[in-house]
Amino acid sequence: MRGALTPGRPYAWYYLPLNWLLLGLAHLPLPVLHRIADVFYLLMRYVLRYRSRVVLENLRRSFPERTEAEIQQFSADFYRHFADVIVEILKLAAISPAEMARRVQIKNAELFTNQFAAGRTVLALGSHIGNWEWILPTGAVYFPGKADGVYKPLRNAFFEDFMLRLRTRTGSHLIPMRDTLRDMLRRRGQPRSLSMLSDQSPASPEHTYWTTFLHQETAFYTGADKLAAQFKCPVLYVNIVRLRRGYYEIVAEQLHDGDAPLDKDGHAITEAFARCVERDIQAKPADYLWSHRRWKLKRHA
């Protein structure tokens, strides 16, 4: 049974100590948080063995040509990467816009700004590569008032509230996935970017696109194809590349210019997105979220 809510807060009072602890940690300098991440790495890999079966199974199926020694190294590198991502996401609760801009550069920002100048909404498709949670807050710093993101609400009231605060601190705006079409209709023609993490496993085989991805038959959401066709939106693929610990570069590339006609029932954009994600995973295998049960949905279902 849920506890009573603290006035002004949407979660039970007993989450308050956790909230204070996380905020306190977030105010530590990032180099200190990276030292804590070193401890998280050891705990996740050797003590808790966090989803080790899922990680190894995903890696083996995705890289059948690699030796077992290489797979084990990818696994170890993944846990180091994931530990860093955890503390860097937490840092969003306290990081300043100036530090965000210092730590993350956008390589080709003109792909966004040129479309904004033309009064267009840009669909920005990302994946769980690198520190994906830093993409939207960085966009809000570089493009004030023009960085929106689609997200899937969490079931736990505390973590839903906490993550919303983290993701919107620099000025971004979040839209629940179920409200995406309504939001596009209401704000049609508004110059902005609408970010979506489009590599997640769909909940059901309906309204999905199947393709071979990392040697496996894989389902993808098709929302980007439908939105781009209906609203004539340009579409960009967005990747965030780690330059060194705590520093990143966001790289965008155009998948669709917003002018060429699209088949509303086609999947050209989703297929192009899948190829980009596959290419970037193969370039840096450890930087993907291998603990995610990406292939849990089977086509025969």
Side-chain angles (χ1 to χ4, degrees):
M1 182 175 179
R2 283 186 68 183
L5 298 181
T6 300
R9 298 190 180 276
Y11 52 83
W13 63 268
Y14 47 75
Y15 280 107
L16 284 174
L18 177 58
N19 180 66
W20 298 329
L21 172 63
L22 294 177
L23 291 178
L25 289 172
H27 281 82
L28 294 174
L30 196 53
V32 176
L33 287 174
H34 281 144
R35 299 285 80 79
I36 295 174
D38 293 338
V39 178
F40 283 173
Y41 158 70
L42 295 173
L43 287 173
M44 285 192 294
R45 188 174 183 215
Y46 295 107
V47 180
L48 302 176
R49 296 185 61 79
Y50 174 71
R51 292 195 174 183
S52 59
R53 287 187 180 182
V54 174
V55 170
L56 289 171
E57 181 180 357
N58 283 342
L59 285 167
R60 287 169 182 147
R61 290 182 176 180
S62 299
F63 299 97
E65 75 284 1
R66 299 288 190 148
T67 66
E68 183 60 23
E70 289 175 307
I71 295 298
Q72 293 293 335
Q73 187 61 56
F74 289 163
S75 174
D77 292 344
F78 158 71
Y79 282 110
R80 289 188 184 279
H81 157 73
F82 189 43
D84 277 6
V85 168
I86 290 172
V87 299
E88 289 170 2
I89 290 174
L90 179 60
K91 186 61 182 175
L92 288 174
I95 196 168
S96 69
E99 185 177 3
M100 191 103 251
R102 183 173 63 86
R103 289 186 173 276
V104 189
Q105 302 295 315
I106 300 181
K107 182 177 181 179
N108 39 9
E110 70 277 0
L111 291 179
F112 290 94
T113 55
N114 289 346
Q115 298 293 351
F116 296 157
R120 308 183 83 171
T121 294
V122 179
L123 300 183
L125 308 185
S127 69
H128 290 83
I129 297 176
N131 189 344
W132 61 90
E133 288 287 354
W134 274 24
I135 296 176
L136 184 61
T138 299
V141 171
Y142 279 87
F143 314 124
K146 293 182 173 62
D148 295 345
V150 175
Y151 84 109
K152 187 176 182 179
L154 301 174
R155 292 182 180 180
N156 181 281
F158 168 73
F159 287 106
E160 166 69 359
D161 177 77
F162 191 78
M163 290 304 296
L164 277 174
R165 284 184 279 147
L166 260 61
R167 290 165 170 166
T168 58
R169 272 192 72 251
T170 59
S172 57
H173 174 69
L174 287 178
I175 302 148
M177 186 184 295
R178 63 179 179 273
D179 297 334
T180 306
L181 180 58
R182 184 183 302 112
D183 182 83
M184 289 289 288
L185 289 167
R186 182 172 62 87
R187 303 169 69 189
R188 184 192 293 266
Q190 180 175 327
R192 58 172 175 150
S193 66
L194 184 64
S195 299
M196 296 183 284
L197 291 175
S198 301
D199 65 324
Q200 295 172 304
S201 179
S204 73
E206 298 180 7
H207 309 299
T208 59
Y209 172 65
W210 292 88
T211 188
T212 301
F213 175 73
L214 294 174
H215 303 283
Q216 300 165 80
E217 195 169 43
T218 308
F220 283 84
Y221 283 109
T222 60
D225 289 289
K226 298 182 185 305
L227 291 175
Q230 182 173 350
F231 296 97
K232 295 181 172 56
C233 295
V235 183
L236 301 179
Y237 167 69
V238 179
N239 186 28
I240 182 165
V241 181
R242 179 186 282 109
L243 303 177
R244 62 187 190 276
R245 202 173 197 185
Y247 291 86
Y248 295 88
E249 181 178 62
I250 293 175
V251 183
E253 59 186 278
Q254 184 174 277
L255 300 183
H256 177 62
D257 63 7
D259 297 320
L262 285 173
D263 179 358
K264 65 181 180 64
D265 297 317
H267 305 100
I269 290 172
T270 301
E271 176 62 28
F273 169 77
R275 300 286 70 84
C276 288
V277 177
E278 184 176 58
R279 175 200 66 203
D280 290 339
I281 291 174
Q282 290 169 340
K284 290 193 171 185
D287 287 2
Y288 192 57
L289 186 61
W290 295 110
S291 57
H292 174 50
R293 292 185 173 88
R294 179 61 182 89
W295 290 275
K296 62 185 176 182
L297 184 66
K298 304 301 181 183
R299 191 167 195 170
H300 64 263

